Amino acid sequence: MIRIEELSFGYRKTPLYQSFNLRLSEPGVYGLFGRNGSGKSTLLLMLAGLLFPQHGRIDVGGLSPSARHPDFLAAIYIVPEEFHLPNLTPTALAATQSGFYPKFSADAFGEYLRIFEVPVDRTFEEMSLGQKKKAAIAFALATFTPVLLLDEPTNGLDIIGRDQFKSIMSCPEQRARIVVISTHQAHDLERIMSHILFIDSAALALQAPMSQLSMALRTGVAPDAAALAQIPGVIYQDVMGEHIAYVAANRSNAAGPVNLELLYKALSLQKSGVLAALREAGGEPALV
């Protein structure tokens, strides 16, 4: 459904992507990770047809985003990190915008607004930033486009709002589409992720389903250095007060928990060790 081949893009004299390749063919929630400046937001904008590649090809559902074909525009929705909403009520927004999206569900929109506790009779200028973001996300989810792009969706949401977002994203209907979420809130959203994408040095360093990661890696907390020394295959460690958090190769035959915040750090600082553990477990770190 999404295919990128030999993509090159940069800003002025600063190259960002060079010969970048990516293919997403399975529905699910993809977590897009990478350090600041790695090009996560830029990638989403190119997938949405709001930025154009300088070289290479992007294909979304058989269509080129840069052509801005009506069928493409009806099949994709993006919520950028920063956005502007017209001074309407959520009800008026649905009345004026939903016609562009054939699968839009007014019932789902109302339910998502209810879960998010967004007042339907207030205009966006009367709402807080968090309420406006919830309304924008609720509308995006209710479009039921085959592809949904969310850039830092939980930024600006309080703890309750984040739980509400995770509750909606756990609904089966949201997992029947491709959802790409760019975020730094790794630990906050790990429960809803089905696949992980990690960009490093303008390349796709890792692409793997969570099920593969849980068989290849294990994360945990050791009480002290002596206990950590008894754990085989440690790839990354992080001192947390008197304890030591770690990422290690999973040498058992059982899936283990994977803390995405620790995995993010391990990929940023010990990428080769993480990829070696995936290969040892028989996985293909950049192909799913």
Side-chain angles (χ1 to χ4, degrees):
M1 188 173 292
I2 292 177
R3 184 171 59 186
I4 299 175
E5 296 177 345
E6 299 299 316
L7 172 69
S8 294
F9 181 86
Y11 294 101
R12 294 185 179 179
K13 296 182 179 180
T14 304
L16 187 58
Y17 289 109
Q18 292 181 311
S19 299
F20 181 87
N21 296 281
L22 172 67
R23 177 176 289 188
L24 305 181
S25 58
E26 300 177 11
V29 181
Y30 291 78
L32 178 61
F33 298 97
R35 304 184 73 173
N36 290 336
S38 61
K40 301 184 299 298
S41 297
T42 297
L43 182 62
L44 296 187
L45 292 173
M46 285 192 287
L47 287 172
L50 299 174
L51 286 176
F52 304 148
Q54 294 160 348
H55 300 284
R57 175 186 176 187
I58 299 179
D59 183 296
V60 178
L63 297 169
S64 171
S66 59
R68 307 288 291 167
H69 192 280
D71 289 344
F72 165 78
L73 296 175
I76 194 166
Y77 198 93
I78 182 172
V79 179
E81 184 175 8
E82 297 181 2
F83 59 89
H84 172 74
L85 291 172
N87 190 28
L88 302 172
T89 64
T91 302
L93 177 71
T96 57
Q97 302 292 322
S98 63
F100 295 107
Y101 304 97
K103 295 183 179 181
F104 181 84
S105 169
D107 290 340
F109 185 44
E111 177 63 11
Y112 299 154
L113 290 173
R114 184 193 66 78
I115 294 173
F116 273 135
E117 300 177 302
V118 175
V120 297
D121 57 348
R122 294 173 61 186
T123 65
F124 293 123
E125 284 190 0
E126 298 174 301
M127 294 184 187
S128 67
L129 175 61
Q131 287 177 319
K132 286 188 281 191
K133 189 150 197 180
K134 289 177 181 180
I137 292 172
F139 183 85
L141 295 171
T143 62
F144 290 106
T145 53
V147 178
L148 175 61
L149 311 174
L150 303 175
D151 195 358
E152 298 289 356
T154 58
N155 275 7
L157 301 186
D158 58 21
I159 294 174
I160 300 300
R162 292 178 181 181
D163 284 344
Q164 293 164 339
F165 174 74
K166 288 185 284 187
S167 175
I168 295 174
M169 288 305 306
S170 297
C171 295
E173 65 267 24
Q174 297 304 330
R175 295 181 174 272
R177 65 207 298 196
I178 286 181
V179 183
V180 182
I181 301 179
S182 171
T183 181
H184 286 100
Q185 309 293 334
H187 179 63
D188 198 39
L189 298 177
E190 64 187 3
R191 181 167 60 87
I192 66 172
M193 302 293 186
S194 57
H195 299 73
I196 299 300
L197 310 172
F198 190 84
I199 297 174
D200 181 61
S201 300
L204 185 64
L206 172 69
Q207 177 177 346
M210 285 293 292
S211 57
Q212 178 183 333
L213 292 172
S214 64
M215 290 299 297
L217 301 166
R218 57 180 293 205
T219 60
V221 178
D224 50 41
L228 182 69
Q230 302 302 311
I231 298 172
V234 172
I235 300 166
Y236 170 80
Q237 56 185 279
D238 188 9
V239 177
M240 303 174 60
E242 297 181 355
H243 304 290
I244 305 173
Y246 66 87
V247 177
N250 187 358
R251 301 288 169 76
S252 70
N253 293 321
V258 177
N259 181 301
L260 286 186
E261 184 173 329
L262 282 174
L263 177 60
Y264 179 99
K265 292 180 179 179
L267 280 166
S268 299
L269 302 173
Q270 298 290 340
K271 180 177 65 176
S272 61
V274 174
L275 298 183
L278 282 162
R279 293 189 183 96
E280 183 180 336
E284 294 289 343
L287 295 171
V288 293

